[in-house]
Amino acid sequence: MSTDTQATWLLVEAMGDRCTVIYEYDSPRAFQTLERARIVHARRGLADSIKELVLKMKSGDPSPKLDIYGDLRLAAEPVMGPERDPHLYAVKVWIGPIDAQVPTESRIVGTMMWDPTDKGDPITYHDPVTDGVILGYDPPATQRISAQVFRHYQYYPKEHLLGPWVEAIKDGRKPAADTFDAKIDLTRTDNQLLRVFIAMRAVKAGTSHAIRGVIHDISDVDPPTEWSGFDKQTARSAISATVGDDRTTGWGHVNFATGIVLEWYTTPPGDLRVWEFQNARWADEREYFSYLERAKNGERVSFSTVVRFNDEIPRSVKVAISPANPGDVGNGFLIVKEEDNPALEFHPMW
């Protein structure tokens, strides 16, 4: 049997108005047009059949579908967005000979949504597969802040490009439907190492843009690597050795483009420890970003301010930002300690 008639899984992305392929024949694809898929290429009508299946699911019938195209059998399974955004994100399509058995187990695919219109630093919303199966949380949660997600990442070569892309989406410099994709090696809560392929697309959300994402476990076809060079675990160990037994400061990894703390290498002290699980609201966000701008240009800066979390209690904090990689796609260390002075009266523009 020739390659293009062997059974294969297609992962068809459907987060926007178009259908694209993000996986076929054991390989991720970067938003490839459906017509260019190997099994579809010589069968133009097959692309139309797959699009029709996707359209039926998008039109309010997100149930598994079976179809026949010539000598091929198609089995389609929907991948729905998180509870916050319960739309069709992708379709897993098995294609094989008409006399072949449809696999009982399909690909492991989860979803996420990030809404920049959320107050403060936006929340990432997860479906149960992303949070429970891929990250390994039991029970799975429906939402996480960035620091709770990024601490699982072990190797993410394109991480420095994500923040600028997100900011360009937020301020309209990137159009709706713009995309970002990457391979990431991550560790589950049980320390199992996985490799995932994440495909994200900007979509309209009222007057702004949201970001939808499909997260596909590809460990079985592209195994993760036990990295021996400088990686995120090396950075965590180096910070831990630097800080030692000091529990008066918290060290975080901050992205200069977004200002979001992607991970806490050491837990913030005292009443600031909630920062590991909740986003902070800065007393004066413009002031914070002005210091980030200076750090982006290579300067180490420090300042005192007030932050609030979900309980709305103002907390005085001393902050230092030290650049690790200056520049527009740079990042650095956010070092925080409790301020000795009482918390100042909070005002959004203080």
Side-chain angles (χ1 to χ4, degrees):
M1 184 182 298
S2 62
T3 299
D4 68 350
T5 57
Q6 290 178 346
T8 185
W9 281 101
L10 285 185
L11 184 54
V12 180
E13 175 264 331
M15 294 181 285
D17 295 331
R18 302 171 55 197
C19 295
T20 68
V21 174
I22 52 177
Y23 178 86
E24 69 159 337
Y25 283 114
D26 296 345
S27 295
R29 296 285 186 261
F31 299 96
Q32 173 184 274
T33 63
L34 189 55
E35 287 75 14
R36 291 187 59 194
R38 282 167 52 191
I39 198 165
V40 173
H41 186 66
R43 302 176 175 88
R44 294 297 180 182
L46 181 56
D48 293 335
S49 293
I50 295 172
K51 288 178 182 177
E52 186 175 342
L53 289 174
V54 174
L55 184 60
K56 286 179 181 178
M57 292 183 178
K58 271 195 164 187
S59 300
D61 182 17
S63 57
K65 302 283 189 294
L66 295 174
D67 199 5
I68 300 294
Y69 178 83
D71 60 349
L72 297 177
R73 181 186 302 276
L74 282 67
E77 180 182 336
V79 179
M80 305 302 293
E83 183 179 287
R84 170 70 180 262
D85 185 41
H87 298 286
L88 185 73
Y89 275 38
V91 180
K92 295 181 279 188
V93 184
W94 180 84
I95 304 174
I98 198 168
D99 57 350
Q101 187 72 28
V102 178
T104 56
E105 294 186 6
S106 64
R107 306 297 302 169
I108 298 173
V109 183
T111 57
M112 53 76 62
M113 193 273 278
W114 192 82
D115 186 353
T117 63
D118 288 338
K119 292 181 179 179
D121 288 337
I123 299 293
T124 301
Y125 298 92
H126 288 171
D127 80 324
V129 175
T130 293
D131 211 72
V133 180
I134 293 176
L135 294 181
Y137 285 101
D138 184 18
T142 58
Q143 61 186 56
R144 302 277 176 189
I145 66 168
S146 297
Q148 292 176 291
V149 177
F150 275 72
R151 68 186 180 194
H152 290 276
Y153 295 166
Q154 302 300 321
Y155 189 68
Y156 188 175
K158 294 176 71 173
E159 180 184 315
H160 65 292
L161 300 176
L162 178 61
W165 180 74
V166 169
E167 282 303 291
I169 295 298
K170 285 174 64 176
D171 63 23
R173 287 180 289 117
K174 291 283 189 182
D178 204 68
T179 61
F180 183 93
D181 63 87
K183 289 182 182 180
I184 305 171
D185 287 2
L186 61 85
T187 302
R188 285 169 33 104
T189 56
D190 60 4
N191 292 320
Q192 180 184 352
L193 191 63
L194 302 181
R195 175 165 292 175
V196 301
F197 180 75
I198 183 167
M200 293 185 282
R201 182 182 291 279
V203 296
K204 276 287 188 182
T207 59
S208 183
H209 293 157
I211 294 171
R212 291 173 174 169
V214 173
I215 304 162
H216 181 195
D217 181 0
I218 58 171
S219 306
D220 59 329
V221 296
D222 189 1
T225 303
E226 294 284 354
W227 297 98
S228 58
F230 186 87
D231 61 3
K232 294 177 75 68
Q233 191 56 47
T234 307
R236 292 166 185 141
S237 299
I239 293 299
S240 179
T242 299
V243 175
D245 294 329
D246 178 17
R247 295 295 177 264
T248 64
T249 58
W251 287 62
H253 173 205
V254 63
N255 180 273
F256 288 156
T258 63
I260 294 175
V261 179
L262 299 179
E263 178 178 359
W264 285 104
Y265 295 125
T266 63
T267 301
D271 288 344
L272 298 175
R273 69 172 63 91
V274 69
W275 215 327
E276 279 199 303
F277 308 103
Q278 298 176 21
N279 289 318
R281 288 174 54 208
W282 299 89
D284 187 340
E285 192 173 73
R286 289 184 299 184
E287 177 193 47
Y288 171 57
F289 274 94
S290 72
Y291 283 112
L292 280 177
E293 184 69 21
R294 288 165 59 181
K296 184 173 72 174
N297 292 329
E299 182 182 352
R300 190 180 190 277
V301 298
S302 62
F303 59 99
S304 294
T305 188
V306 172
V307 294
R308 277 192 175 189
F309 299 95
N310 294 352
D311 60 12
E312 297 297 331
I313 296 173
R315 293 168 170 85
S316 291
V317 57
K318 188 81 172 178
V319 181
I321 305 174
S322 180
N325 299 295
D328 289 339
V329 295
N331 56 76
F333 300 110
L334 186 84
I335 307 158
V336 299
K337 65 181 298 184
E338 291 181 297
E339 184 70 89
D340 293 333
N341 297 329
L344 301 176
E345 181 65 25
F346 179 84
H347 186 278
M349 295 307 296
W350 178 84

